[in-house]
Amino acid sequence: MKKKYSILIFGLIAMVFLQTLMAQTVFRGKILDEETKAPIGDVKIGITDQGVGVVTSANGLFNYRKYHQTVGNASRLRISAAGYETIELRGENIRGLFNKSSKIYLTKTSDPQVSKAFADQKNIKIFWDASLSSDRRDFKKEWGFIEAYFEELGEVNVTFVVFNEEILSTRRHTINKDISTLKKEVEGLVYEGTTSYDILTTGNTDAALLFSDGEAVLGQWEGDRDIPFYAISSQSRANHTYLRSLARFTSGSYVNLSEASIAESVDQIKRGILFKDKNVAIASTFNGIVKTTIGPIQGASITIKGDLEEFLSKSDGSFTVPAEVGDVLQIRYLGMHPKEMLVENKETLLVEMTPIDELLKEVVITGKRAKSKETSDTGFGERSKDQVGVSVNTITSADIRPNAQYLADIIRGRFAGVQVSGFGSEAVFTIRGGNSPKPAVWIIDGSLYEQTPNFVDPQNVASISILKSIQASARYGSIASGGAFIVKTKAFVTVGDDGEIVDTALVTGNDYTEQVAQLNLEALKPNYVKQIQGIEGVDEQFTMYQNLSKANTTNAAFFIDMALYFQPLDREKAATIRSRLVEVAQKNPKVLRVAAYLYESAGEYDNALKLYERITSIAPREAQSYRDLAKAYEEAGVYDKALELYINMLGEQILGVDFSGLDKPLGHELLHLVSLHKDKINTERLPEDWLLTSYSLDLRMVLEWSDREAPFEFQFVNPNKKYFKWNHTLFDNKERLEAEVKSGFQTEEFVIDDAPHGLWIVNIEYLGEETFTTVPPYLKYTIYRDYGTSRERKDVKVIKLTSDIGKAQLDEFLL
């Protein structure tokens, strides 16, 4: 069965390359008058469920680019301009425009719609953002603007809407210059939660005033483009770009009170100026460069200590952050020691990072001699022998004599600093150069043995490397303070490229004899959770949470732990905490991904979908963003958009994004979509072979983790007490982690199908250290039984990966 599905997955990948596929929503062109053939400026081009669209320039040109948006059956492209008939296209016709430069002609209308002049606007709607981040606004300036605005209009009807991720209140008033009744609307208002614009509707309104910072985390505006929006912000670090685009797309105006006076702002609206050309006030910024001795680092993570916003270095290593003198920058990159650096002045900061692999300090370069193509396994990944100093040596199968019977026969005299005493199975091995009396340990295909592994056949050895005590301790802990021999065999138990557990020429010695305790989530709870547990009553506990939150405003782990704690006790309180988490981490994709995990585990798939859309807009070059979004579309019942994304991903049709690392899980997930929902998708876009009458997997496990650098080991134990390992560490799986960083993915699937029946055990071991991060890594573990069938069952666990876990049993199940 598994072979059949693997062939189908590869078949789909080939199929999508042969089809004429469209990437995400990307098209461009020119809008012309049908009669005169003259270009038309200020034409609005937008898709109904994709938020703010674009407006043509004076020469009629437009460029619509939304890589993170997908066209579905309900999508409608509208092209409209004052004095012209509106053009509307739906799904398939929209796709016909993709990646083409089109000339589109508009016909003049005999009944042009004209927006009301400022003085004639008598029905006004005010949207007042009450999210957590909006509490930092300059309310004095904003109320001053409202007062001056209504002073000009005289008597008007006002609908005052208070919102965050939901509508909190809607009240109607008649205002004649006196705005005191409006102020009463927000007296005592608690600013909390995050923001959504897709809940805002204009209705029968002449104009809408939006008071917000432009960061709508849980949904973008999808309202009426013909009602002018006046976007008003008093925060210098607001999303000026979005607010300007919203104002322009609705023929409104953007008022930036952080740079303009109240008088000129009201005058700007009265005179119908869309937005001012003055430069937006920008918070103080700081520049730097991240590099190693070899060259610049692209994709290094830079955060300001105490702030959750994350910035990435560019291809030349450069970065810009809104930092001030006295701020502390935290810099991280895969395989490098994390650094903290103080901003002491405004000069460009040079950040030189050092590899965690201390062996690189011993690199020797001599002139321009030819470099060896041979590599050594340092325990930290493969290195060219020219890059490795005397602290590590490697022998390969080519160095092993055909008559060698014991490990001593192939190690004796081959490594500097290694002493072999005795012969055969009685040999004792010592690695000199350390301060520990402990004997060396043995790492056989990733598994650690304290005793000499005499079960290993020398003729089955692919390579042996040694690590001296410092390097071995850094990798394997104090147990390896006497050094380590790293042995790779030619064939061993592993997880195959397709994610399925395979059994190839089992070496002896993979018998499972450990007694691993079950994961004790209660014992892992941090002190602040235990403090709350000691209080009687859920309401009283929530009050304590609110008090503690004042000292943890940027501690994402605090809100994650609290959401997990309250979820089984009070779903509404847990939802409140999740929205607080989303707001404080609105620009950090790692934390937002954990928040999405929490929404999914709570069954709130619509909110999870909105978060994945947000993550994709923040990280549009990461493969994981699109895969998560496609899966969220399916779970939220938006099947046509899920299909669109899967086809685009498997066909590598999203510009600049590499999905090769996710081919297998994407293939299974598309089969799942087709199997369960083929009556709700356009099956004509798929070959007949994919319209399976039956598709199922006995059991499918999916691992997803929030931080790509998180080192952990996943272990399976089958009913025959044989164990299988999958390592996610830079040391054991370097190429995999490098591919994750390069392509931007962090998912692995494991399929158990037609496998031995009985009790299976799943263990997890976290191998990281407690270093500074914006949030500890979290793991989402999903297990599907009868995957792809109407009997499918799914269990989801979200756990924090900390050193306190040690090695623990994550799950067990009968197959």
Side-chain angles (χ1 to χ4, degrees):
M1 184 182 293
K2 64 183 76 172
K3 182 177 180 182
K4 169 187 174 183
Y5 294 143
S6 295
I7 292 172
L8 282 171
I9 291 170
F10 282 114
L12 176 68
I13 296 169
M15 176 276 296
V16 292
F17 274 108
L18 293 174
Q19 284 193 359
T20 304
L21 290 177
M22 291 68 65
Q24 305 259 184
T25 315
V26 180
F27 55 95
R28 63 192 182 279
K30 191 171 187 177
I31 308 295
L32 304 168
D33 183 296
E34 184 179 41
E35 182 178 349
T36 67
K37 305 301 185 285
I40 309 173
D42 293 328
V43 180
K44 301 172 185 179
I45 300 105
I47 295 177
T48 52
D49 53 4
Q50 292 191 0
V52 176
V54 298
V55 179
T56 59
S57 60
N59 57 7
L61 296 175
F62 71 90
N63 192 352
Y64 191 99
R65 304 165 68 90
K66 294 205 175 184
Y67 292 117
H68 62 286
Q69 292 282 4
T70 304
V71 171
N73 295 337
S75 302
R76 297 290 183 271
L77 169 65
R78 288 184 62 209
I79 303 173
S80 61
Y84 290 88
E85 293 181 2
T86 297
I87 292 177
E88 185 171 293
L89 300 177
R90 58 183 62 202
E92 290 301 324
N93 292 325
I94 301 173
R95 295 190 185 100
L97 298 175
F98 285 6
N99 290 328
K100 296 177 182 177
S101 182
S102 306
K103 286 185 178 180
I104 300 173
Y105 295 91
L106 297 185
T107 304
K108 286 183 178 178
T109 178
S110 57
D111 184 24
Q113 295 281 326
V114 180
S115 297
K116 289 187 177 181
F118 174 77
D120 297 327
Q121 294 176 355
K122 297 302 181 183
N123 294 293
I124 307 296
K125 205 163 198 176
I126 295 179
F127 296 110
W128 188 266
D129 191 344
S131 63
L132 178 67
S133 63
S134 293
D135 198 22
R136 298 192 292 267
R137 291 165 14 203
D138 188 333
F139 293 106
K140 184 177 179 180
K141 276 189 176 181
E142 293 187 4
W143 283 113
F145 171 84
I146 293 174
E147 188 170 34
Y149 179 84
F150 287 117
E151 181 74 26
E152 295 287 339
L153 283 178
E155 184 174 289
V156 293
N157 299 313
V158 177
T159 303
F160 195 87
V161 179
V162 181
F163 74 101
N164 46 30
E165 69 255 44
E166 59 185 1
I167 302 297
L168 302 178
S169 65
T170 301
R171 293 186 175 87
R172 293 171 178 81
H173 306 275
T174 299
I175 302 295
N176 190 354
K177 300 184 180 181
D178 181 7
I179 64 170
S180 57
T181 56
L182 299 182
K183 285 187 174 181
K184 288 181 181 179
E185 292 285 334
V186 294
E187 285 182 1
L189 181 65
V190 177
Y191 291 82
E192 62 183 2
T194 189
T195 307
S196 177
Y197 289 164
D198 64 358
I199 57 175
L200 306 181
T201 56
T202 48
N204 186 22
T205 305
D206 296 331
L209 276 65
L210 171 66
F211 290 85
S212 181
D213 63 358
E215 295 292 355
V217 183
L218 281 183
Q220 294 297 320
W221 172 88
E222 296 177 0
D224 190 340
R225 68 177 68 183
D226 299 321
I227 303 296
F229 256 74
Y230 301 130
I232 299 99
S233 174
S234 57
Q235 295 176 254
S236 61
R237 290 186 63 183
N239 189 340
H240 303 289
T241 301
Y242 178 80
L243 292 174
R244 283 175 181 265
S245 64
L246 172 60
R248 188 178 186 201
F249 191 65
T250 59
S251 300
S253 184
Y254 173 47
V255 173
N256 179 10
L257 290 173
S258 68
E259 70 163 16
S261 69
I262 291 172
E264 65 178 323
S265 297
V266 174
D267 182 65
Q268 172 186 331
I269 291 178
K270 283 177 61 178
R271 292 191 292 123
I273 301 173
L274 293 180
F275 55 86
K276 300 174 70 67
D277 270 338
K278 290 172 64 176
N279 291 329
V280 174
I282 300 175
S284 175
T285 58
F286 179 81
N287 299 318
I289 295 174
V290 186
K291 58 172 292 187
T292 66
T293 55
I294 299 173
I297 294 178
Q298 178 181 2
S301 166
I302 301 100
T303 58
I304 302 171
K305 193 169 186 177
D307 194 306
L308 283 174
E309 191 168 358
E310 182 180 45
F311 304 86
L312 299 178
S313 60
K314 299 178 182 177
S315 58
D316 60 355
S318 66
F319 64 88
T320 300
V321 295
E324 301 278 359
V325 172
D327 283 340
V328 175
L329 301 184
Q330 298 177 319
I331 305 98
R332 295 176 62 213
Y333 187 72
L334 177 69
M336 300 290 170
H337 286 290
K339 298 194 77 166
E340 287 193 353
M341 301 194 76
L342 176 68
V343 178
E344 299 182 272
N345 52 55
K346 283 300 176 182
E347 296 178 4
T348 299
L349 179 68
L350 181 61
V351 182
E352 294 191 1
M353 304 200 78
T354 307
I356 292 175
D357 179 0
E358 298 294 339
L359 297 177
L360 289 185
K361 289 183 177 179
E362 302 178 18
V363 171
V364 178
I365 301 176
T366 306
K368 296 184 178 179
R369 65 184 174 85
K371 294 185 177 181
S372 171
K373 293 183 180 179
E374 294 183 75
T375 61
S376 295
D377 185 346
T378 67
F380 297 85
E382 297 289 332
R383 305 284 191 206
S384 165
K385 286 189 174 180
D386 290 318
Q387 291 182 306
V388 179
V390 296
S391 290
V392 66
N393 289 291
T394 297
I395 60 174
T396 67
S397 58
D399 303 312
I400 298 174
R401 296 187 300 273
N403 60 342
Q405 299 182 42
Y406 298 96
L407 290 172
D409 298 335
I410 56 178
I411 291 177
R412 192 189 311 272
R414 304 304 296 270
F415 295 98
V418 173
Q419 181 178 343
V420 181
S421 304
F423 297 90
S425 61
E426 303 299 321
V428 177
F429 303 82
T430 305
I431 300 177
R432 296 195 300 271
N435 298 320
S436 172
K438 287 187 176 181
V441 297
W442 298 78
I443 313 299
I444 313 297
D445 294 328
S447 299
L448 187 148
Y449 297 83
E450 294 185 67
Q451 304 298 321
T452 303
N454 289 311
F455 57 81
V456 174
D457 180 356
Q459 303 306 318
N460 192 37
V461 170
S463 67
I464 299 180
S465 303
I466 65 167
L467 284 181
K468 298 275 180 85
S469 60
I470 295 176
Q471 292 81 20
S473 296
R475 169 61 185 94
Y476 302 106
S478 60
I479 194 173
S481 58
F485 292 96
I486 301 174
V487 180
K488 287 190 175 181
T489 60
K490 296 177 181 177
F492 58 95
V493 178
T494 185
V495 175
D497 291 337
D498 57 1
E500 298 186 17
I501 297 174
V502 296
D503 193 351
T504 59
L506 285 175
V507 295
T508 57
N510 72 316
D511 295 298
Y512 184 71
T513 58
E514 294 179 89
Q515 294 294 321
V516 177
Q518 288 190 340
L519 182 65
N520 187 345
L521 296 178
E522 186 67 30
L524 294 173
K525 288 178 179 176
N527 289 332
Y528 45 73
V529 173
K530 294 177 180 177
Q531 182 180 352
I532 285 181
Q533 280 182 304
I535 300 172
E536 289 190 15
V538 175
D539 290 338
E540 291 73 17
Q541 290 180 349
F542 192 73
T543 299
M544 175 58 77
Y545 147 75
Q546 291 174 315
N547 292 333
L548 291 174
S549 68
K550 297 172 183 176
N552 289 277
T553 54
T554 59
N555 182 357
F558 170 81
F559 296 106
I560 296 169
D561 293 331
M562 287 297 180
L564 287 169
Y565 172 73
F566 277 100
Q567 180 60 33
L569 303 178
D570 190 311
R571 295 178 65 87
E572 288 188 8
K573 288 181 172 58
T576 299
I577 298 171
R578 284 193 295 272
S579 66
R580 174 73 181 269
L581 169 68
V582 167
E583 183 68 1
V584 299
Q586 57 184 251
K587 295 181 181 179
N588 188 312
K590 292 177 183 175
V591 182
L592 291 179
R593 189 165 278 118
V594 181
Y597 296 168
L598 298 179
Y599 278 121
E600 288 176 309
S601 63
E604 294 186 19
Y605 296 115
D606 287 341
N607 279 335
L609 171 57
K610 291 177 180 179
L611 269 191
Y612 284 127
E613 287 178 334
R614 170 77 174 183
I615 293 168
T616 309
S617 68
I618 296 174
R621 299 299 183 192
E622 296 186 357
Q624 188 73 34
S625 302
Y626 298 92
R627 177 265 174 186
D628 291 342
L629 183 56
K631 182 169 159 291
Y633 277 138
E634 181 181 1
E635 290 179 330
V638 191
Y639 305 116
D640 53 321
K641 285 196 172 187
L643 176 67
E644 177 82 9
L645 263 182
Y646 280 124
I647 290 179
N648 276 277
M649 288 186 288
L650 284 163
E652 299 283 350
Q653 293 295 307
I654 299 177
L655 184 65
V657 185
D658 177 11
F659 292 97
S660 58
L662 290 172
D663 278 348
K664 303 309 181 299
L666 290 176
H668 279 297
E669 286 164 3
L670 178 52
L671 278 171
H672 181 271
L673 174 69
V674 174
S675 176
L676 294 182
H677 309 294
K678 55 177 167 281
D679 59 327
K680 303 180 185 71
I681 59 177
N682 182 4
T683 56
E684 293 180 1
R685 302 187 67 194
L686 296 169
E688 189 173 343
D689 288 348
W690 277 75
L691 304 179
L692 303 176
T693 54
S694 64
Y695 163 74
S696 68
L697 299 174
D698 292 344
L699 191 136
R700 179 176 183 251
M701 287 173 282
V702 180
L703 292 184
E704 300 164 68
W705 48 98
S706 61
D707 192 329
R708 290 185 197 104
E709 297 181 28
F712 60 89
E713 183 177 85
F714 205 59
Q715 183 185 52
F716 305 91
V717 182
N718 73 9
N720 300 323
K721 293 298 181 181
K722 294 287 186 179
Y723 66 80
F724 310 78
K725 285 187 176 181
W726 186 76
N727 291 299
H728 186 263
T729 69
L730 180 63
F731 316 104
D732 300 310
N733 213 343
K734 179 172 177 285
E735 289 185 2
R736 163 67 187 239
L737 268 71
E738 288 177 340
E740 289 179 4
V741 170
K742 182 179 178 181
S743 301
F745 69 95
Q746 53 230 66
T747 291
E748 186 58 71
E749 72 164 13
F750 306 95
V751 173
I752 300 178
D753 203 45
D754 295 338
H757 288 268
L759 182 67
W760 286 73
I761 297 172
V762 179
N763 295 328
I764 184 76
E765 182 175 10
Y766 181 60
L767 303 169
E769 299 177 359
E770 309 302 327
T771 58
F772 67 77
T773 58
T774 52
V775 64
Y778 282 77
L779 177 79
K780 184 176 78 167
Y781 165 76
T782 309
I783 184 167
Y784 300 87
R785 294 171 175 82
D786 296 319
Y787 183 74
T789 74
S790 59
R791 305 183 306 278
E792 180 179 296
R793 291 167 293 149
K794 179 177 73 172
D795 295 310
V796 181
K797 293 180 182 178
V798 179
I799 62 171
K800 179 162 58 176
L801 295 175
T802 73
S803 56
D804 294 333
I805 290 178
K807 186 172 185 177
Q809 181 178 313
L810 179 63
D811 199 5
E812 65 177 23
F813 50 85
L814 286 170
L815 189 65

